Amino acid sequence: VTWKLNDTGLSGVELWRNKDTGAYAKLLGLPGSATNYHDTSADAAGSNYCYQVMTMKGDVPSDKSNEVCGTP
């Protein structure tokens, strides 16, 4: 999963994921300069995963990004 950061000085990036249109859950937190993540925890082909990114500036979260979906 890749994304473009539209801000500087971010304290973190959160990656959120859902599986097969289920509820979104936080997958992990990354450093504020991160722009990609390879999701090795996605299981067998056939499941559809969607991702959203949320950035943190201090304790202030951004809105979540548009979702990007795909299958492993």
Side-chain angles (χ1 to χ4, degrees):
V1 181
T2 62
W3 55 89
K4 179 182 175 187
L5 298 174
N6 294 324
D7 202 350
T8 58
L10 299 171
S11 56
V13 174
E14 294 182 354
L15 187 60
W16 292 70
R17 178 181 79 179
N18 77 14
K19 178 181 176 184
D20 296 326
T21 68
Y24 270 94
K26 182 179 171 182
L27 180 61
L28 76 160
L30 297 165
S33 60
T35 58
N36 65 76
Y37 178 74
H38 180 79
D39 186 359
T40 58
S41 67
D43 51 23
S47 294
N48 188 58
Y49 290 89
C50 295
Y51 299 87
Q52 290 181 307
V53 171
M54 184 172 68
T55 59
M56 301 293 293
K57 196 161 194 173
D59 292 335
V60 181
S62 70
D63 292 334
K64 288 181 184 165
S65 68
N66 293 333
E67 67 179 13
V68 174
C69 300
T71 56

